[in-house]
């Protein structure tokens, strides 16, 4: 029981630290091929992935919704959940992918490139 409580505390701490990562400045849109995730949460489920998005990209989620578009998205040899954020009228920004392994959140563009959310033109002001 103590191990379970400790695990929950660690997961919550990591989720609270994710918005702090959005304060970094950056301009590159495409990640290098050797991009290595730095978070330590493992085996993220779909609802946790959606919560990572909501905790990282600060929007009014009574107006916007996070919809899963691909449960088994593969990028650079890793498995992700792929989501879109939309309101009643249209999707906003690029799709967002969340690593199933560690909860890393990235923006995924139609040209198959990725960036961190704080580097994206649409989402960086929302982080």
């Amino acid at each position: 029981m103590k191990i379970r409580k400790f695990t929950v505390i660690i997961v919550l701490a990591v989720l609270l630290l994710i918005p702090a990562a959005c304060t970094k400045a950056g301009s590159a849109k495409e990640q290098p091929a050797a991009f290595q995730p730095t978070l330590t949460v493992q085996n993220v489920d779909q609802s946790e992935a959606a919560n990572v998005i909501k905790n990282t990209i600060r929007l009014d989620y009574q107006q916007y919704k996070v919809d899963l578009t691909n449960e088994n998205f593969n990028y650079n040899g890793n498995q992700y959940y792929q989501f879109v954020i939309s309101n009643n009228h249209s999707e906003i920004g690029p799709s967002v992918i969340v690593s199933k392994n560690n909860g890393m959140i990235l923006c995924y563009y139609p040209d198959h490139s990725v960036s961190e959310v704080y580097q994206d033109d649409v989402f960086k002001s929302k982080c």
Side-chain angles (χ1 to χ4, degrees):
M1 188 68 168
K2 289 183 180 180
I3 293 173
R4 187 175 185 154
K5 286 181 182 179
F6 180 75
T7 303
V8 169
I9 290 170
I10 295 296
V11 168
L12 290 174
V14 169
L15 289 175
L16 290 173
L17 292 175
I18 289 173
C22 288
T23 61
K24 295 180 183 175
S27 61
K29 223 178 207 325
E30 188 168 333
Q31 293 293 325
F35 180 76
Q36 295 294 320
T38 58
L39 299 178
T40 58
V41 177
Q42 294 191 357
N43 301 320
V44 175
D45 68 24
Q46 181 181 331
S47 65
E48 290 171 327
N51 284 333
V52 167
I53 293 169
K54 290 176 181 178
N55 289 326
T56 304
I57 303 171
R58 293 184 300 261
L59 293 169
D60 179 359
Y61 287 102
Q62 292 182 357
Q63 284 187 316
Y64 295 94
K65 59 185 179 175
V66 177
D67 292 314
L68 180 70
T69 58
N70 189 343
E71 185 175 352
N72 294 305
F73 184 79
N74 188 4
Y75 176 75
N76 208 19
N78 297 309
Q79 289 291 310
Y80 292 84
Y81 296 103
Q82 183 177 26
F83 296 89
V84 294
I85 300 174
S86 62
N87 60 17
N88 291 334
H89 307 291
S90 62
E91 294 177 7
I92 63 165
S95 66
V96 178
I97 58 175
V98 179
S99 171
K100 288 184 176 185
N101 183 46
N102 62 14
M104 172 69 73
I105 179 174
L106 300 167
C107 293
Y108 183 78
Y109 301 94
D111 67 356
H112 308 289
S113 64
V114 299
S115 77
E116 295 190 30
V117 291
Y118 66 84
Q119 294 176 326
D120 178 72
D121 291 337
V122 174
F123 294 134
K124 69 181 171 187
S125 66
K126 311 281 189 257
C127 290

